Amino acid sequence: MLELCRRPLEMCFGKGSKDRLLWHMDLKPLHVSGDYSIAVVQANSSLEDQAQVFTSPSATFVGVYDGHGGPEASRFITKHLFSFLHKFTSEEGGISEQVIMKAFSATEEEFLHLVKQSWISRPHIASVGSCCLLGVISNNLLHVANLGDSRAVLGRKAQGGEGNCADVVAERLSTDHNVGVEQVRKEVEALHPDDAHIVVHTRGVWRIKGIIQVSRSIGDVYLKKPEFDNNPLFQRFVCPIPLKRPVITAEPSILMRKLMAEDLFLIFASDGLWEHLTDEAVVEIVFRSPRIGIARRLVRAALEEAAKKKEMIYKDLKKIEKGLRRHFHDDITVIVIYLDHSQDSLNAWSKNQGVYDCISTPVDIFSLNADEADL
């Protein structure tokens, strides 16, 4: 009888001290920069964050895809975006803003094709979308492209700095396409002068048509193709507000920057991290902490802040299982890339010249860790 009573509590709060919803890779060498570290913590019933790092002797590609409405769009991007980048880079002889634009557009079109094929039997697929953050390092140039509110931040030495923490500067490299930002809200309103309710404040935040916070994404087809709203069942169960024209886009913001000697590291992360930590706080943690496990350390710092907001401690928060965890924080994905070539990373690089490698985060962390426990 006691065993039967205990099981529901374990389902709700878990057991043991390990956070079974956290996956991490503490440190791995890159071929064209320094080392990198990845961590992701799952909060939703299905992990909606996905991420990947592709390394080669000539370039490094980093992707963070923060899904919403379900995991389908972020998983789709994981399977297609890098392939399109490779295709267009090969065709045009190198990475460029045009190549990135074409890769984003092709990914969007392929997902639209999938939705058109399956939405009658699966209406939900038309309302699934994902933010998309991409970083490319090649020939000492950095390209950052993004849709939505995942964010890339650079940590660099301030001019005249002596290496103290106060001399390290956080430089944001991406634009948050979120109507919670006043400038973005005004841009959306300017594009829809005939719609006084294009952005409304509901459930404590600003949302486009009261539905979505981000103004750019892959997917969210029902907000880009009004013809999907004609189905009465779709209107009833997915989108009760009929639209006359698209209200969000899939056109990324792209930044190109030459990497300088004072550039120390890059942080690519979904908004689950930035919801709890400022750019400056994240850069400070990376700068003053050991490299090994740095992404995991950032995730933990965010979780500690999330727990504090609920008057809890992380020790108790990490016992809560997926699904229920979403009431406390979002899925969080963090990738940290060091740019200053430690001697260890240079030695690893020299041993792995000509080697190609791709790391992707798990599809579901709870299932992965459960399998590891069984093994």
Side-chain angles (χ1 to χ4, degrees), residues 29-49:
L30 288 171
H31 301 303
V32 295
S33 51
D35 308 310
Y36 74 99
S37 178
I38 309 177
V40 55
V41 66
Q42 181 173 346
N44 290 289
S45 297
S46 295
L47 179 62
E48 296 181 341
D49 273 16

Side-chain angles (χ1 to χ4, degrees), residues 182-237:
E182 184 178 5
Q183 181 181 351
V184 176
R185 191 160 63 248
K186 288 181 177 179
E187 289 175 358
V188 172
E189 291 170 344
L191 292 171
H192 300 270
D194 57 334
D195 189 348
H197 303 288
I198 183 65
V199 182
V200 297
H201 196 266
T202 178
R203 303 193 298 280
V205 295
W206 290 97
R207 300 175 188 269
I208 296 175
K209 302 304 290 184
I211 299 171
I212 191 169
Q213 292 178 265
V214 294
S215 60
R216 306 189 194 190
S217 70
I218 296 290
D220 294 305
V221 174
Y222 72 118
L223 298 175
K224 299 170 180 173
K225 304 291 182 181
E227 59 265 29
F228 281 90
D229 296 338
N230 294 332
N231 188 310
L233 287 177
F234 190 82
Q235 289 182 5
R236 180 179 177 185
F237 294 107

